Amino acid sequence: MAITRNTKNVPYYLLGAGAFDQLESLVDERRRAATGPALFFVDHYFQNKPLAARVPAIAGDRVFFVNTSAEPTVEVVDAFASTAKAFLNGAQPCCVTGIGGGAVLDMAKAVANLLTNPGLAEEYQGWELVKHPAPYKIGVPTLSGTGAECSRTCVLTNMRRKLKLGMNSDFTVYDQLLLDPELTRSVPRDQYFYTGLDTFMHCVESIRGSYRNVIVDSLSRTAIAMSEEIFLGDKDMMDEENLEKMMVASYIGGMAAGNVGIIHPVSAGLSIVLHMPHGIANCYALSVLGEFYPEEHAQFTEMMARQKVSLPKGICKNLTDEQLDGLYQGSIVHEKPLINALGEDFKKILTREKVLSLFANM
Ligand SMILES: [Fe+2]
């Protein structure tokens, strides 16, 4: 087997119910280590909720609430970065903390990269384009499944280039994670399901692809097994034990998530054209990809039935020709994962007609 890429993981994590209380001491440690204020990026869902009052910001710090009703775009990253730079007035923060689901965790990562690297977000969409280390970052997921807490990317939608692509870089990786499963208790059930399944999808795509290594395969198998326990087991998927298991599965699955396959490109098409959130878009994608992932499609169908989640049909009816073209282009543009799944000749399998028939079946 080929030598793996030199791989970086998150160096520190804290895990356990109630761990959020330790955020203050983690941030205080940073205040002692570096000058500059602390910046916090918090999901707007928590604005005026008890969690917002527990964010350990002091005078001189800044809390940014991130609207997560849409996926992060390069424009929003640029806007936050310019506000943060104006606030910092030439200084660097002692740390940047992201508190939220994948969208907020990715937003914090992207903005942090722009604090030390000049220019616009889209200049860094790709692989190894970030040149300077970002400020120290702490990630606090409040939703499990995306793997954003431990990935080396931050997925950003770029409407102009019609693609979803992150800043794939070791500098994007969080320096510290605080994993408190209690924070996910209030997530609505269907959102918990859709987002949780993102872990299953990443790992299925990874293990069915051609870019493989023994470590990623082992992580993928573990996260898939945990997903089966959570979504097909006897206990409720949001039982206390499963909240923790889901948070750990997301973390483990996130480490395996670099090489996706067909599900994520098709999902990206939905997000770009219909602005559909990532987790549910993945579910729609796998729901029509049974011929490529037969076993997993069957498992997924059973998980939906067991958790009483349904996907209303007909979402791509009545679309304009321009939207249909956007669905095709927004999927097929993701060449790296499609080659991973289907080989260099993937366009012979995923013809325009074939891709549009997948969307028509949703
Ligand atoms: Fe994903």
Side-chain angles (χ1 to χ4, degrees):
M1 206 169 249
I3 297 170
T4 65
R5 179 177 54 76
N6 196 12
T7 301
K8 181 180 176 186
N9 289 136
V10 175
Y12 292 96
Y13 64 82
L14 250 169
L15 166 72
F20 189 80
D21 287 339
Q22 299 198 33
L23 181 59
E24 183 169 15
S25 66
L26 293 175
V27 174
D28 282 348
E29 224 171 278
R30 292 306 307 161
R31 296 189 202 282
R32 286 191 291 273
T35 55
L39 304 184
F40 299 87
F41 289 85
V42 182
D43 194 318
H44 74 149
Y45 168 82
F46 296 112
Q47 205 162 6
N48 305 317
K49 296 231 168 64
L51 188 80
R54 294 169 66 201
V55 172
I58 60 172
D61 290 346
R62 179 91 182 243
V63 179
F64 296 95
F65 286 99
V66 181
N67 186 336
T68 51
S69 48
E71 303 265 295
T73 63
V74 285
E75 289 83 4
V76 177
V77 172
D78 289 332
F80 272 124
S82 98
T83 310
K85 281 182 187 167
F87 170 74
L88 290 162
N89 193 20
Q92 286 293 339
C94 67
C95 66
V96 174
T97 301
I99 304 172
V104 176
L105 296 176
D106 279 357
M107 181 64 72
K109 291 194 273 188
V111 174
N113 280 340
L114 290 187
L115 294 180
T116 48
N117 292 272
L120 298 173
E122 72 169 15
E123 293 168 45
Y124 300 98
Q125 282 186 292
W127 282 266
E128 321 315 334
L129 301 174
V130 181
K131 296 291 177 245
H132 306 287
Y136 191 96
K137 298 188 294 295
I138 302 175
V140 186
T142 61
L143 186 57
S144 301
T146 65
E149 63 277 26
C150 57
S151 72
R152 68 190 302 271
T153 191
C154 46
V155 184
L156 307 176
T157 304
N158 186 325
M159 287 299 180
R160 195 178 62 73
R161 289 167 67 194
K162 288 199 170 40
L163 52 76
K164 281 181 80 176
L165 184 60
M167 303 173 178
N168 292 267
S169 163
D170 283 350
F171 298 136
T172 306
V173 178
Y174 276 104
D175 299 285
Q176 167 81 57
L177 293 180
L178 200 156
L179 304 172
D180 182 350
E182 279 301 310
L183 301 178
T184 65
R185 192 181 283 286
S186 63
V187 175
R189 286 185 72 83
D190 47 352
Q191 194 183 4
Y192 180 89
F193 178 87
Y194 298 137
T195 310
L197 260 286
D198 197 11
T199 292
F200 180 75
M201 310 278 183
H202 290 141
C203 294
V204 162
E205 289 173 282
S206 179
I207 214 146
R208 294 282 173 238
S210 60
Y211 311 145
R212 304 276 291 277
N213 75 61
V214 179
I215 293 176
V216 167
D217 280 5
S218 310
L219 294 166
S220 297
R221 283 199 197 92
T222 301
I224 289 171
M226 292 172 87
S227 302
E228 289 165 1
E229 288 165 21
I230 296 160
F231 296 106
L232 295 173
D234 295 331
K235 285 192 175 146
D236 184 76
M237 66 177 181
M238 295 188 75
D239 165 272
E240 184 167 347
E241 194 183 312
N242 278 337
L243 292 179
E244 179 170 274
K245 196 176 276 182
M246 189 64 246
M247 190 158 263
V248 175
S250 177
Y251 171 69
I252 292 174
M255 285 191 274
N259 298 318
V260 290
I262 314 172
I263 300 168
H264 273 71
V266 169
S267 167
L270 289 171
S271 292
I272 284 173
V273 176
L274 302 178
H275 306 286
M276 186 183 280
H278 180 60
I280 186 171
N282 283 342
C283 290
Y284 269 109
L286 182 55
S287 77
V288 298
L289 290 170
E291 66 183 282
F292 300 101
Y293 301 102
E295 269 174 54
E296 295 82 2
H297 179 267
Q299 277 183 309
F300 168 67
T301 307
E302 197 188 331
M303 287 174 183
M304 287 216 297
R306 183 79 71 100
Q307 303 303 336
K308 299 185 177 60
V309 174
S310 61
L311 294 171
K313 282 270 185 191
I315 54 163
C316 294
K317 268 198 303 197
N318 310 324
L319 297 186
T320 63
D321 286 348
E322 194 186 339
Q323 284 176 307
L324 291 172
D325 190 56
L327 286 174
Y328 169 70
Q329 300 293 351
S331 306
I332 214 79
V333 70
H334 299 95
E335 293 196 348
K336 201 169 174 242
L338 293 171
I339 293 170
N340 180 35
L342 300 168
E344 294 285 346
D345 285 341
F346 71 89
K347 282 186 185 161
K348 287 189 182 150
I349 301 165
L350 291 184
T351 60
R352 187 184 161 88
E353 199 184 4
K354 176 71 196 174
V355 173
L356 292 182
S357 78
L358 294 173
F359 287 110
N361 275 332
M362 291 177 184

